[in-house]
Amino acid sequence: SLEDLKVSSMTSWIDWSHAEEDHGPLLPHLTRFELHNCPLLEKVPNLSSVSSLSELNISACGNFVKALPQYVGLLACLKKLRISYCDHPLLFSGHQLNSLDYLYLRKCGSLRLIDGLQCFPNLRDIDVLGCPGILTEFPDQSVRQDEQDLLHLSSIVTDVSLLHKNSFVPSVCALCIVYLEALHFTPEQEEWFGQLISVEKIEFAYCYFLQRLPSTLNRLTSLKVLIIRETKPLSLEGVVPQNLQELIMDGFIMEDNFKPGGSDWLNISHVPYIRLNGKTVQNLSINAASSSSNHQI
């Protein structure tokens, strides 16, 4: 009757394949399974029959992750999937994960989503860092456009991993860009931002070297909140859209540039609510969303 199982730091564990032979069908009612830091694990049982599993969280788990694509029944019922620190080449399709609503990937350099994001019919939130080649396997563009109506993705957290021409995500409402190491965005990445026609909130955080935000932000008429945290662009000229309601900037050293009379003030003065390094600089709206201090990654 076990429903929730977590296994962690069994660093000498090699063989788990005998479990079904000794005890019959493995964990038939399991709904949540975590496996962390079992780097020598080579042989694992067949988990295809675990059709009750809704949440799987695995990291640094030897060969266990290599067997995942063959567990068709297990993948089809998953709602939340987390994979971290996986070096094995893996190919996944949204058609395999048709119940998935949350996908979290960290440092999975050889993992590929072979159909992009548009084939996940129920995916709502995706959090992907350190997976630079995740979208390099992709069919022709006509398939992408035909199946785009299936996409319900509304929230993205990523570095450069999903800033790719094969990631067409006009349904996204909330976007967080973190830990970029580049000085500026490429023309292709600038166009990626330009197709976010539904986005209401964008945050740039811990992009320590970034000198300029995408100029295509200024055409995002739906954007209401822009947060720049521990990221220090040299100027916001030509970046801030006219409809923006709230601008939050934290970690700025040259803050006088963004205050009334400063060199960048004319570029942001149309925004009703502005907060700089924790202090309100402008509040032209009674209903200004001053609760933005709660906006965190």
Side-chain angles (χ1 to χ4, degrees), residues 138-148:
F138 204 80
D140 61 66
Q141 293 294 93
S142 62
V143 175
R144 184 185 80 170
Q145 299 297 335
D146 291 343
E147 298 188 2
Q148 185 56 46

Side-chain angles (χ1 to χ4, degrees), residues 4 8 18 32 44 50 65 79 81 86 88 112 132 134 140 155 162 175 183 198 200 231 249 274-275 287 290:
D4 193 331
S8 180
H18 61 278
R32 185 171 181 268
V44 297
V50 188
V65 71
K79 292 186 178 298
L81 175 61
C86 169
H88 298 295
R112 304 287 182 268
I134 190 172
D140 61 66
S155 175
L162 299 181
L175 171 68
L183 297 176
S198 301
E200 297 179 358
T231 300
M249 299 182 289
I274 301 174
R275 196 176 75 228
N287 296 318
S290 57

Side-chain angles (χ1 to χ4, degrees), residues 147-162:
E147 298 188 2
Q148 185 56 46
D149 289 340
L150 298 176
L151 186 63
H152 301 289
L153 187 63
S154 62
S155 175
I156 288 180
V157 176
T158 192
D159 46 10
V160 296
S161 300
L162 299 181

